[in-house]
Amino acid sequence: MRQHGHRLLRRWAHYKPQKPQAPPAPPTPPKPPRKPQSFTFHDSTWEDPYSWMSNLNDKVAMRHMDVYMEQEEKYTEAVMSDTERLQAKLQSEMASRFAFDLSTPPLRWGPWLYYRRVEEGKQYAVLCRRLANLNEEFISHKYPSAGFDFTSGKRIEQKLLDYNQEAERFGGYAYEELSEVSPDHRFLAYTMYDKDNDYFRLSVRNLNSGSLCSKPQAERVSNLAWAKDGQALIYVVTDNNKRPYRIYCSMIGSTDEDVLLLEESDENVYVNIRHTKDFRFVTVNTFSTTSSKVFLINAADPLSGMTLVWECQGLAHCIVEHHQGYLYLFTDATKEGQSVDYHYLLRSPVDASSSPRIWESVFIDDEDLIVEDVDFSDKHLVLITREGRKFRICSVTLPLPVGKGAVHPKELNPYFLPLPRHVSQISPGPNYDFYSSTMRFTISSPVMPDAVVDYDLSSGKWNIIQQQNLLHERTRILYGTASTASIAEKSSNIINSNSMNEVNAEDDNSWNDLSEFYACEHYDVSSCDGVVVPLTIVYSRKHKKENQNPGLLHGHGAYGELLDKRWRSELKSLLDRGWVVAYADVRKTSLLVGVIVLEDFWLLQPSIVVQIYFVLQF
């Protein structure tokens, strides 16, 4: 034992511990070729050594670009190599939360409920409808096609268009851009993408027989609108450069050639059409960077010509609606020669004889109250407004008073509809039925999955039609009304008759709000030029740590637009790991000091990945 011990001591005496291996050198980022080139604009000159990357027609430059992008992808893989297991886990978590809706929430228009659903084993959806008043208690929520009319012995559902069959017509690919049902519910006009020719092809289908109409079957169609109560279809075609420039009118069932209503020869002018919600008129917008015009076509007599009703300088957003003899124009056109960064509402009688037409303002300008959008029905005008960060929906009874001039919306006794906390966006529609008192909106929030909500503007009742429930990882879709009475009763509120006609929306129990688990806070941050930048942050209440949370920042500095802050289910994986997600509404030319501002991001982008870490001071 002693000799063995001496041998061990001699071994340890000659033992030299291995030197720890040096960590691998960090990967070296690729360097794209620099090709100096000078540019001069407005008496300013600058160098751009990477302008060659935009020369898409330069084959040599594009080959260099391909090589560089391949190097970037390899660099990204090397930088992220130690996170491969985490990436796979995050991808799995995020994919499990995506809502794969087998059906869209049904939309009522007249006597019909329209919706799309996916049949098991099929790749594309089927467009369907059913009469709303036929035995709604027999409609299955999970399988809407299971509805059965026990009186007539027939299925309630009517298949209108199977996009799986359309894929067979178009070489295995079905992509629809436009779809419009005629006001008499007899025809469906739609455009499908023809990938072999790279344009959209127009088709019209008879919904009673299911067969295709012989005409029109036009090519390169970009826009369409119904006229003559569904007896005529007006559509726009593009030139070889995909510029909308011609308007045609086709009489359904007629063998006559389609009539050319307008051809815009100026290559800088684009054409667009839409029908007013009451189908009384078709509006024609012609616009360029220098001017914008709106013409009216009498839908009852579409071949009678066009009447100019609005004209302004510069490119402007111009939407014209009609209500009981008045035209309403929602626009962001210049006012008295000065550009504006908001929309406003104008009004003019249809039969106005003055030239040029006189438009009067409907509302008094209020810099603290921004009208984001408007929507009309037969008896109500709906305003989506924003005061600072607070979004609201209010309805005003129509018709509006005449002869009073511009008024403040509060003078019209608006009814404010219930909303959850922290609303970041309100999107109207689709609201096709002009004579319905119910309007549909999508309500978005940083701490709530998007909710599709139907509001009854006459009674104030409301119902969540579709919303993903992250707590149970499923999406709720409601069909009909009789079968959802119990849910509707719990999730409905009646408008209160208080001084502001405002609903008490403090009780959010009926909204699938996640604010119990995730906090949403707002700050005003001063940039280097002194401009205040609104900052919205979202974080997990459970994982909040003082000055220690990693962060991911969204930013956008153009056009004065607000960022899309709606809840994204994939962000839950970051929030639950202690990350803070922030949105900076960097307007116009403001800058954030010490922070890179991204226009958008995707956590697992396979090519170039930019990671930003910052600490938020709570």
Side-chain angles (χ1 to χ4, degrees):
M1 288 291 293
R2 186 179 297 175
Q3 291 179 351
H4 180 66
H6 285 301
R7 284 197 297 269
L8 287 176
L9 288 175
R10 286 196 296 271
R11 287 183 185 178
W12 281 110
H14 294 87
Y15 173 75
K16 294 182 179 181
Q18 293 182 349
K19 294 182 179 180
Q21 292 183 351
T28 303
K31 296 182 179 180
R34 298 172 62 92
K35 301 178 182 180
Q37 189 171 356
S38 298
F39 296 90
T40 301
F41 193 69
H42 289 317
D43 298 327
S44 297
T45 302
W46 67 93
E47 297 286 334
D48 184 0
Y50 304 112
S51 64
W52 61 269
M53 293 182 175
S54 62
N55 297 330
L56 301 180
N57 296 325
D58 188 337
K59 294 183 180 180
V60 175
M62 289 302 99
R63 281 199 294 269
H64 289 170
M65 189 67 175
D66 290 340
V67 172
Y68 170 62
M69 291 305 296
E70 184 177 351
Q71 293 173 350
E72 283 283 4
E73 290 181 358
K74 291 181 179 179
Y75 171 68
T76 299
E77 293 175 359
V79 171
M80 304 289 288
S81 60
D82 60 341
T83 66
E84 289 181 354
R85 293 183 63 183
L86 176 59
Q87 289 185 47
K89 186 175 182 179
L90 291 175
Q91 282 184 323
S92 177
E93 289 180 8
M94 294 175 182
S96 68
R97 296 192 191 100
F98 286 135
F100 296 98
D101 301 331
L102 298 181
S103 178
T104 61
L107 181 69
R108 182 159 187 166
W109 181 14
W112 295 97
L113 288 169
Y114 290 89
Y115 55 93
R116 298 172 191 258
R117 62 179 181 82
V118 178
E119 296 179 330
E120 187 175 354
K122 299 292 183 67
Q123 182 177 2
Y124 298 103
V126 180
L127 176 63
C128 306
R129 72 180 179 186
R130 59 181 174 83
L131 288 171
N133 61 353
L134 282 181
N135 298 317
E136 289 179 338
E137 63 269 25
F138 297 111
I139 298 299
S140 166
H141 294 184
K142 190 173 181 181
Y143 303 103
S145 61
F148 194 79
D149 180 6
F150 286 86
T151 303
S152 63
K154 297 180 180 180
R155 284 188 177 275
I156 294 174
E157 181 183 80
Q158 179 185 359
K159 288 186 181 181
L160 304 180
L161 185 61
D162 189 336
Y163 293 97
N164 298 283
Q165 297 177 2
E166 291 298 305
E168 297 177 2
R169 288 180 60 204
F170 292 92
Y173 181 72
Y175 174 54
E176 178 190 74
E177 185 180 52
L178 302 172
S179 177
E180 293 285 346
V181 176
S182 63
D184 58 2
H185 303 276
R186 291 197 304 154
F187 299 100
L188 171 69
Y190 61 101
T191 61
M192 301 296 297
Y193 181 65
D194 187 334
K195 64 179 180 180
D196 293 332
N197 297 294
D198 190 27
Y199 57 60
F200 285 90
R201 185 187 298 273
L202 171 67
S203 299
V204 177
R205 190 173 293 273
N206 188 316
L207 298 183
N208 293 327
S209 65
S211 60
L212 284 172
C213 298
S214 58
K215 64 181 287 293
Q217 293 189 16
E219 301 170 350
R220 303 197 308 272
V221 173
S222 64
N223 214 210
L224 51 87
W226 286 101
K228 285 183 72 75
D229 292 328
Q231 299 177 47
L233 181 68
I234 302 176
Y235 60 92
V236 180
V237 299
T238 63
D239 60 15
N240 292 329
N241 294 322
K242 298 185 178 181
R243 177 181 68 93
Y245 78 120
R246 283 180 179 172
I247 302 178
Y248 288 93
C249 179
S250 176
M251 296 297 174
I252 306 299
S254 170
T255 58
D256 297 338
E257 291 291 325
D258 295 349
V259 179
L260 178 64
L261 301 183
L262 174 70
E263 180 173 2
E264 183 54 67
S265 58
D266 189 338
E267 294 182 354
N268 298 314
V269 177
Y270 294 73
V271 176
N272 183 56
I273 63 173
R274 64 182 295 273
H275 63 78
T276 56
K277 289 190 68 175
D278 61 358
F279 285 98
R280 292 283 300 276
F281 300 96
V282 174
T283 62
V284 178
N285 289 60
T286 63
F287 53 92
S288 67
T289 56
T290 58
S291 68
S292 300
K293 299 179 181 180
V294 182
F295 299 84
L296 276 191
I297 295 177
N298 184 353
D301 187 8
L303 303 181
S304 61
M306 300 188 301
T307 303
L308 178 66
V309 295
W310 170 260
E311 182 176 8
C312 66
Q313 293 182 347
L315 180 62
H317 180 230
C318 306
I319 299 295
V320 172
E321 277 296 345
H322 172 258
H323 186 272
Q324 294 186 11
Y326 280 88
L327 299 177
Y328 288 86
L329 172 67
F330 190 61
T331 182
D332 60 353
T334 58
K335 272 191 171 185
E336 300 177 354
Q338 300 294 322
S339 61
V340 298
D341 58 358
Y342 58 89
H343 284 72
Y344 52 93
L345 189 63
L346 302 176
R347 178 173 60 178
S348 178
V350 172
D351 56 0
S353 57
S354 60
S355 182
R357 175 182 290 268
I358 298 176
W359 292 84
E360 65 173 5
S361 294
V362 175
F363 300 122
I364 297 174
D365 287 342
D366 183 351
E367 61 181 11
D368 296 327
L369 179 67
I370 305 298
V371 179
E372 296 282 348
D373 209 344
V374 299
D375 205 346
F376 282 83
S377 70
D378 183 37
K379 293 182 173 59
H380 297 91
L381 167 64
V382 172
L383 306 177
I384 298 177
T385 65
R386 178 170 56 85
E387 298 178 68
R389 294 187 177 99
K390 186 175 183 180
F391 284 85
R392 305 166 98 180
I393 307 177
C394 68
S395 66
V396 174
T397 302
L398 291 177
L400 297 179
V402 178
K404 283 190 172 183
V407 299
H408 196 279
K410 293 180 180 178
E411 298 179 41
L412 300 175
N413 297 319
Y415 285 141
F416 288 88
L417 303 176
L419 292 173
R421 296 185 293 266
H422 310 301
V423 173
S424 63
Q425 184 178 335
I426 302 174
S427 304
N431 295 309
Y432 293 117
D433 198 335
F434 180 69
Y435 298 100
S436 173
S437 63
T438 299
M439 279 197 181
R440 178 165 294 179
F441 299 88
T442 298
I443 312 299
S444 302
S445 165
V447 288
M448 184 190 77
D450 280 3
V452 179
V453 185
D454 279 354
Y455 290 95
D456 189 323
L457 305 178
S458 296
S459 66
K461 292 183 178 181
W462 57 287
N463 193 13
I464 298 178
I465 301 301
Q466 182 183 45
Q467 188 180 29
Q468 185 180 7
N469 189 339
L470 287 179
L471 300 181
H472 298 91
E473 305 292 354
R474 67 171 183 263
T475 300
R476 181 179 66 179
I477 302 177
L478 306 182
Y479 296 89
T481 56
S483 55
T484 63
S486 59
I487 299 178
E489 183 178 356
K490 294 178 181 178
S491 62
S492 299
N493 283 336
I494 306 298
I495 291 178
N496 297 326
S497 300
N498 53 31
S499 58
M500 287 294 295
N501 291 327
E502 184 167 1
V503 174
N504 181 10
E506 293 300 319
D507 183 10
D508 289 341
N509 293 329
S510 55
W511 298 95
N512 183 16
D513 194 336
L514 304 175
S515 58
E516 178 183 351
F517 309 98
Y518 306 103
C520 178
E521 297 180 0
H522 303 283
Y523 296 89
D524 291 324
V525 182
S526 296
S527 64
C528 60
D529 57 4
V531 176
V532 174
V533 178
L535 186 69
T536 301
I537 64 170
V538 180
Y539 62 91
S540 170
R541 297 184 185 277
K542 180 180 179 181
H543 295 91
K544 176 184 176 182
K545 297 179 180 179
E546 195 73 22
N547 300 337
Q548 297 182 26
N549 296 74
L552 186 59
L553 174 68
H554 295 254
H556 188 271
Y559 313 118
E561 294 180 355
L562 297 177
L563 281 172
D564 181 0
K565 307 181 191 68
R566 72 182 64 190
W567 170 265
R568 295 167 61 173
S569 60
E570 62 268 27
L571 292 181
K572 187 175 186 294
S573 294
L574 294 183
L575 297 172
D576 290 348
R577 287 173 171 81
W579 282 66
V580 177
V581 178
Y583 303 88
D585 284 310
V586 189
R587 301 187 180 188
K588 299 179 181 178
T589 57
S590 302
L591 299 175
L592 286 179
V593 181
V595 178
I596 300 175
V597 179
L598 296 181
E599 179 173 344
D600 203 359
F601 83 99
W602 179 244
L603 182 66
L604 303 177
Q605 185 73 21
S607 58
I608 304 174
V609 173
V610 180
Q611 290 184 326
I612 298 178
Y613 295 87
F614 64 95
V615 175
L616 292 176
Q617 302 292 332
F618 288 99

